[in-house]
Amino acid sequence: MSFTVHGLAVSQGIAIGHAHLVSHALLEVAHFTISPKHVEAEVARLLEATATVKTELASLKASASTGAAPSEVDAFIGMHIMILQDPMLVDAAANLIRTRRSNAEWAMVQQMEQLVEQFEAIEDAYLRERKADVVQVVERVVKVLLGHPGHLPPKRKDGLGTIVVAHDLSPTDTIGFKDHAVAGFITDAGGPTGHTAIVARSLSIPAVVALRHIRHVVKDDELIIIDGTRGVVIVDPDERVLEEYRLRKAEVELERSKLKRLKSMRAATLDGEEVQILANIELPPDATQAKNVEADGVGLFRTEFLFMSRDTWPDEDEQFEAYKTVVKTMAGRPVTVRTLDVGADKELEGATRPEDNPALGLRAIRYCLAEPKMFLTQLRALLRASHFGKLKILIPMLASSNEIDQTLILLEKAKTQLRERKIKFDEAVPVGGMIEVPAAALCLGAFTKRLQFLSIGTNDLIQYTLAIDRGNEAVAHLYNPLHPAVLRLIHQTIQAGVKAGIPVSVCGEMAGDPDCARLLIGMGLRQFSMHPAQILEVKQAILRADAADLTAKVQRLLKLDDPDRVREAVEKL
Ligand code: PEP
Ligand code: MG
């Protein structure tokens, strides 16, 4: 019988395929008592399973690090390896086997539940969410203990792919599915910024999450349609619905293949305004993806990902190699590298003190200025890489002129240290600032006088202007990129750049949203930076835009005070 379920649309597109239910190993765990003479053998069985998972994860990480998977996956796998090595997990479970004579699977699940309880008490939403990673690691170990590490069915004869139906998916699951004909993902759990969503988007696979009980209402092999744009899942569709979706899928695919033809075209508006479209990257292998879509350069390299999921910070040489790799991959195109932006939702292992309000705390440049030794190391590595291409340095979360001055003094010091070591670098390396705090957008003179370029971080600018924690689900509905206050700050920043003759880009999520492209062109923006997967769609929107016409319309739109009327006006642009 056909039925429809609604969830959260997290990765666009249409998928038609057969259901493959991924078992929930943790639900199958039995509890039994081990005889005293078998206790040590049971501990050994646990350690062996853990070692197997460690090897699996290490080989997944090795293949992810070579660019075979999105950088988000690489970071998640690193986190899973760390969880597996934490004595609070495996050592504590081994202890349970010894003291309570429990079987290994049960001991792992018991210890997991204890840890999950502790995670639930954490106030920080990002850290609280990490309990899902603990569950996924334990599930992997339990699957090895039970002897069934999930396999996907081979390719079907009818040519349709597999729709993975799961309670939740770990990034390691998702990367494991990569070489199979996986057409889409649907899960009970998850949210727009969860693992399944992030990985599905970066692999361009349609996905709908937060379906609650989908695993219980779908049967293995059943025919399924996923509408990843509307968040709809149709189970066992009738012939008429199936035909309609086949048509829509073909249309979407045609659109996507047409987009590929835009790769080598220069982005310019109908009235000849040239626009630069740059890529946001997180790890060096992402630069290959940026090059493949012929991005005009890298507009934002978020270097904190080099520092995350590890016990020690990368030293100067390791950082230098990473920055040099990106600069060389981009072969003469500009590469804007942002200095470490940690704090708030991006924590370093043991490096930051717990804070009540981390988004307003020791974050980004504030953290770097408080850790000058670490900051100088990064600046030296950046300068050294500047010798190999067109590197620019971008400073995050600036609010006041004295932070810029202190940063420039440290940069001078890093230059002096390199000169003493007789190491070459670009003496005129451009330095820019991110405009993501309202204070910066309201005092732009201090920035345009001291810096060579600006980049607007709309993700944080929206958060700080509207006082909405970008990671808090409870206020997610209030997070509005089209709020007139936000638009005025963006417009003001772009115009200040035009007046001072310095380039301004937007590198937050807004730049990658094709619905915002016309608005930003009308505000005067000529540099966009986004995830490489979004570049062609935004380029298409720019090629269809008339900058002069949009400038006049946007002038009127910026006078509106009511967010709903702004939205209507943007839709009409
Ligand atoms: C932003 O705030 O818009 C931005 C690009 O930085 P991040 O998302 O890394 O904070
Ligand atoms: Mg930011």
Side-chain angles (χ1 to χ4, degrees):
M1 194 192 62
S2 176
F3 61 93
T4 302
V5 193
H6 293 260
L8 218 59
V10 294
S11 184
Q12 290 197 5
I14 288 170
I16 305 175
H18 294 279
H20 171 70
L21 269 63
V22 176
S23 80
H24 200 8
L26 299 183
L27 299 179
E28 298 166 22
V29 166
H31 182 204
F32 47 90
T33 309
I34 306 288
S35 68
K37 68 173 193 283
H38 290 131
V39 161
E40 279 316 311
E42 191 65 6
V43 171
R45 198 166 74 85
L46 172 67
L47 298 183
E48 215 173 282
T50 314
T52 305
V53 172
K54 213 179 276 176
T55 314
E56 277 173 20
L57 290 174
S59 85
L60 278 173
K61 186 154 174 48
S63 76
S65 313
T66 58
S71 55
E72 296 88 345
V73 174
D74 191 29
F76 292 148
I77 301 172
M79 192 191 311
H80 284 198
I81 294 175
M82 274 178 30
I83 293 171
L84 196 63
Q85 286 166 343
D86 195 314
M88 285 291 285
L89 187 61
V90 181
D91 290 3
N95 232 358
L96 281 179
I97 300 177
R98 291 195 177 103
T99 51
R100 298 206 200 149
R101 291 203 277 124
S102 316
N103 53 319
E105 298 85 350
W106 185 257
M108 273 303 267
V109 173
Q110 290 302 298
Q111 191 52 28
M112 173 197 83
E113 282 172 359
Q114 272 231 359
L115 291 177
V116 164
E117 219 170 273
Q118 288 171 17
F119 269 91
E120 267 160 9
I122 297 177
E123 252 182 56
D124 181 279
Y126 180 81
L127 287 180
R128 202 167 51 239
E129 264 185 40
R130 300 284 66 81
K131 68 173 188 255
D133 294 282
V134 176
V135 174
Q136 285 161 359
V137 170
V138 170
E139 183 161 29
R140 226 181 156 90
V141 176
V142 169
K143 274 184 182 165
V144 174
L145 285 166
L146 294 173
H148 53 80
H151 288 295
L152 274 187
K155 232 180 161 152
R156 323 258 170 172
K157 286 204 187 75
D158 61 7
L160 291 178
T162 298
I163 305 278
V164 174
V165 187
H167 173 70
D168 199 6
L169 287 170
S170 73
T172 43
D173 289 334
T174 350
I175 186 177
F177 296 151
K178 203 173 156 270
D179 298 330
H180 296 78
V182 170
F185 299 117
I186 50 177
T187 60
D188 293 337
T193 55
H195 295 147
T196 310
I198 294 172
V199 175
R201 276 198 295 270
S202 54
L203 295 173
S204 299
I205 292 177
V208 177
V209 303
L211 288 156
R212 290 169 188 272
H213 303 295
I214 197 74
R215 253 192 95 262
H216 297 293
V217 293
V218 170
K219 290 194 278 295
D220 239 334
D221 222 36
E222 214 160 16
L223 197 59
I224 299 217
I225 297 173
I226 303 180
D227 183 338
T229 309
R230 297 185 195 165
V232 173
V233 173
I234 305 165
V235 182
D236 191 21
D238 60 35
E239 202 37 55
R240 189 184 52 80
V241 173
L242 198 56
E243 198 41 45
E244 185 193 320
Y245 272 94
R246 276 195 196 114
L247 262 173
R248 286 199 13 214
K249 185 167 180 283
E251 277 167 19
V252 172
E253 274 158 17
L254 186 66
E255 271 307 305
R256 278 196 183 158
S257 71
K258 272 195 210 150
L259 279 180
K260 283 200 188 123
R261 288 193 225 136
L262 302 182
K263 256 205 281 194
S264 55
M265 273 178 90
R266 301 259 340 124
T269 60
L270 291 172
D271 50 344
E273 287 286 326
E274 296 249 340
V275 177
Q276 269 196 316
I277 309 188
L278 306 148
N280 289 357
I281 66 165
E282 286 165 3
L283 286 169
D286 299 348
T288 311
Q289 210 187 339
K291 200 157 176 239
N292 289 345
V293 287
E294 300 194 23
D296 291 317
V298 169
L300 174 68
F301 177 3
R302 291 178 159 106
T303 58
E304 50 278 9
F305 285 85
L306 294 172
F307 291 68
M308 284 156 71
S309 306
R310 51 189 289 166
D311 297 327
T312 53
W313 291 338
D315 63 16
E316 184 183 316
D317 283 344
E318 184 182 341
Q319 287 189 57
F320 161 61
E321 288 300 334
Y323 307 144
K324 187 173 83 173
T325 302
V326 175
V327 165
K328 286 196 140 183
T329 308
M330 294 314 290
R333 299 188 185 200
V335 173
T336 304
V337 190
R338 180 173 74 185
T339 56
L340 191 64
D341 180 4
V342 284
D345 60 339
K346 299 174 214 155
E347 292 294 342
L348 294 189
E349 283 315 303
T352 38
R353 293 171 275 281
E355 294 177 289
D356 282 344
N357 207 341
L360 303 183
L362 201 60
R363 209 198 131 175
I365 190 61
R366 303 171 184 181
Y367 182 83
C368 288
L369 292 175
E371 294 278 352
K373 197 161 161 260
M374 181 279 301
F375 194 28
L376 274 169
T377 305
Q378 182 171 40
L379 292 173
R380 282 193 308 270
L382 287 169
L383 286 168
R384 282 171 62 187
S386 72
H387 178 62
F388 296 87
K390 249 188 177 171
L391 185 139
K392 300 172 170 189
I393 299 176
L394 178 62
I395 314 297
M397 218 194 157
L398 292 163
S400 318
S401 54
N402 65 356
E403 287 164 343
I404 308 176
D405 293 339
Q406 285 180 60
T407 303
L408 295 177
I409 290 170
L410 281 175
L411 184 67
E412 245 346 282
K413 189 166 175 185
K415 287 182 177 178
T416 308
Q417 290 171 340
L418 290 182
R419 282 186 205 112
E420 280 164 5
R421 283 161 56 190
K422 303 215 175 343
I423 294 179
K424 288 188 184 149
F425 59 89
D426 175 6
E427 290 277 353
V429 64
V431 182
M434 287 201 66
I435 304 297
E436 43 188 355
V437 178
L442 292 167
C443 294
L444 287 157
F447 289 73
T448 53
K449 264 191 221 116
R450 291 170 170 81
L451 298 165
Q452 281 87 51
F453 66 97
L454 302 177
S455 189
I456 308 174
T458 47
N459 305 341
D460 278 314
L461 188 61
I462 299 164
Q463 143 162 289
Y464 294 126
T465 305
L466 302 181
I468 285 160
D469 179 349
R470 60 193 259 203
N472 184 343
E473 282 167 27
V475 288
H477 62 290
L478 300 171
Y479 188 88
N480 180 10
L482 301 184
H483 191 291
V486 173
L487 297 189
R488 285 175 204 169
L489 292 176
I490 296 174
H491 182 240
Q492 230 161 279
T493 308
I494 296 170
Q495 290 309 314
V498 171
K499 219 164 127 201
I502 67 170
V504 178
S505 73
V506 168
C507 63
E509 290 300 303
M510 219 173 151
D513 181 347
D515 294 336
C516 291
R518 298 169 71 78
L519 170 67
L520 292 169
I521 288 284
M523 285 184 177
L525 188 75
R526 297 295 178 264
Q527 258 189 24
F528 293 64
S529 193
M530 65 202 73
H531 191 287
Q534 297 164 320
I535 286 185
L536 297 179
E537 224 179 317
V538 171
K539 193 187 269 187
Q540 185 180 48
I542 289 168
L543 289 166
R544 290 174 178 165
D546 181 325
D549 175 52
L550 288 168
T551 307
K553 286 182 179 153
V554 169
Q555 288 295 340
R556 290 197 289 278
L557 174 158
L558 286 169
K559 296 203 174 85
L560 300 172
D561 283 326
D562 178 352
D564 292 337
R565 292 203 45 213
V566 173
R567 181 168 296 281
E568 285 164 20
V570 170
E571 279 164 12
K572 283 195 204 131
L573 277 179

